[in-house]
Amino acid sequence: MPGPLRIPFPNAFPSPASPTPPHLTTLPSAISAITDFLLASPPGKTTILTGAGISTASGLTDYRGPQGTYSTRTNFRPVLITEFLNEPAKRNRYWSRAFLGYDSFSSKQPSPAHRVVAELVKVGLVGGVVTQNVDSLHERAMVREGEEMRLHWREKLVELHGALREVRCVKCEELYEGGRAKLQEWLASQNPVWEELRVKGDLIQGPDGDVAVPEGVRLPGFVEPGRCGGCGGLVKPDIVFFGENLRREVKERAEGLVGGCERLLVLGTSLATLSAWRLVKRVVERRGEVAMVTLGGARDEQVFFGEGRGVRVEFDIQDVMVGVEGELRNKGIL
């Protein structure tokens, strides 16, 4: 029998020994390199892949950064899909912590880097965005770019691991009417003591919206969501849990965006998840160009950027992308 599922790479990867190319040791040089990278292919032939690092400036934590969940919460262990489906106590615990964290999580606003990425898509320089994040911040940034992006962001954005704003039945796959916002209101009405704790705040939030309840706090049982009104199946946030496969249509859309690009710009991810790592590997194997901006190391980057291939810099994403925006404005592109 197969062994139990394990969380992949809970520890941070080591930082690269030097940037690629080696002379990119200053922020201005990194900004110029990423700007040149974006301009080196025809408009629309670059795709952007993002991870939790782009959202830390919005007030969310990442997983493996210096202040990430794995670094600051030594006992942290995300719920596995098998536990959510088959172990009622763990499912109930997940829903209670997710309830406490959702309002704060969903109130976060796009960072400057989210805004720059949306602008790059709007002007056609970037063909699309694949994000591992479930925070909807790319979606909000794109919608704010105007009516054209409001109509077309679903074509330009792939939320690889889903989005917490939606709730879906695991059996019939229908979305919950009104989404997570409506469900949150119902949960608050059914759990008044938990609602008092949520309003009080002072909770440690994770990158996927749940929180850690302080030691010593004793709370009554949590009333979790009912079953699907159509088929009686369990409902869960429309995100990919650890150990769960991507939805087929999502995987195909992501592969289509990456498969059709000449260049891939990677922002704020260590590539620890197999789904994101595979996308980068695919571009490298067909000799496409890859650039990466992230603090800390990344999975297999010595392979992806070996022998001087691509661009790899370790600077704050916000500083780099705001700088890129400035250079593109100076060139009359934005």
Side-chain angles (χ1 to χ4, degrees), residues 223-301:
V223 179
E224 64 185 71
R227 290 181 173 256
C228 173
C231 72
L234 289 172
V235 297
K236 76 173 187 66
D238 192 23
I239 62 173
V240 177
F241 280 58
F242 280 90
E244 185 176 11
N245 293 327
L246 301 182
R247 293 173 60 82
R248 176 181 294 180
E249 61 268 30
V250 173
K251 181 180 178 182
E252 290 176 351
R253 287 189 61 222
E255 290 176 345
L257 265 182
V258 171
C261 76
E262 295 180 1
R263 291 172 175 260
L264 182 67
L265 174 57
V266 182
L267 301 174
T269 174
S270 63
L271 302 178
T273 63
L274 186 61
S275 54
W277 174 84
R278 279 176 171 166
L279 294 175
V280 179
K281 181 173 180 284
R282 182 175 180 179
V283 174
V284 171
E285 286 180 340
R286 59 179 173 78
R287 300 188 181 279
E289 294 291 327
V290 177
M292 173 180 282
V293 184
T294 196
L295 293 174
R299 180 181 181 181
D300 283 343
E301 65 173 293

Side-chain angles (χ1 to χ4, degrees), residues 119-322:
E119 202 167 4
L120 295 175
V121 174
K122 181 182 179 181
V123 300
L125 194 60
V126 167
V129 178
V130 179
T131 184
Q132 301 168 77
N133 302 337
V134 298
D135 53 31
S136 298
L137 293 178
H138 280 298
E139 178 259 344
R140 291 176 199 163
M142 287 186 178
V143 167
R144 289 180 182 182
E145 282 298 312
E147 187 61 27
E148 181 181 354
M149 287 301 294
R150 184 185 299 275
L151 294 173
H152 299 298
W153 72 263
R154 291 184 187 276
E155 301 171 10
K156 303 292 186 180
L157 174 66
V158 178
E159 293 168 311
L160 195 63
H161 297 154
L164 275 176
R165 66 178 181 273
E166 302 287 3
V167 178
R168 188 182 296 271
C169 174
V170 301
K171 185 177 179 181
C172 70
E173 299 191 346
E174 286 295 313
L175 289 174
Y176 184 92
E177 185 177 354
R180 181 58 189 276
K182 182 177 179 181
L183 178 60
Q184 188 76 357
E185 293 178 1
W186 184 86
L187 290 173
S189 71
Q190 300 299 306
N191 297 280
V193 176
W194 290 82
E195 171 67 358
E196 289 179 11
L197 179 61
R198 185 197 67 77
V199 172
K200 183 179 179 181
D202 298 326
L203 301 168
I204 301 173
Q205 190 159 46
D208 291 331
D210 56 340
V211 301
V213 175
E215 292 290 335
V217 173
R218 296 291 179 263
L219 293 163
F222 185 80
V223 179
E224 64 185 71
R227 290 181 173 256
C228 173
C231 72
L234 289 172
V235 297
K236 76 173 187 66
D238 192 23
I239 62 173
V240 177
F241 280 58
F242 280 90
E244 185 176 11
N245 293 327
L246 301 182
R247 293 173 60 82
R248 176 181 294 180
E249 61 268 30
V250 173
K251 181 180 178 182
E252 290 176 351
R253 287 189 61 222
E255 290 176 345
L257 265 182
V258 171
C261 76
E262 295 180 1
R263 291 172 175 260
L264 182 67
L265 174 57
V266 182
L267 301 174
T269 174
S270 63
L271 302 178
T273 63
L274 186 61
S275 54
W277 174 84
R278 279 176 171 166
L279 294 175
V280 179
K281 181 173 180 284
R282 182 175 180 179
V283 174
V284 171
E285 286 180 340
R286 59 179 173 78
R287 300 188 181 279
E289 294 291 327
V290 177
M292 173 180 282
V293 184
T294 196
L295 293 174
R299 180 181 181 181
D300 283 343
E301 65 173 293
Q302 71 278 9
V303 176
F304 296 152
F305 301 101
E307 300 178 356
R309 290 189 297 268
V311 177
R312 170 62 166 106
V313 293
E314 191 177 8
F315 289 98
D316 184 271
I317 297 167
Q318 308 300 322
D319 293 340
V320 172
M321 295 310 292
V322 170

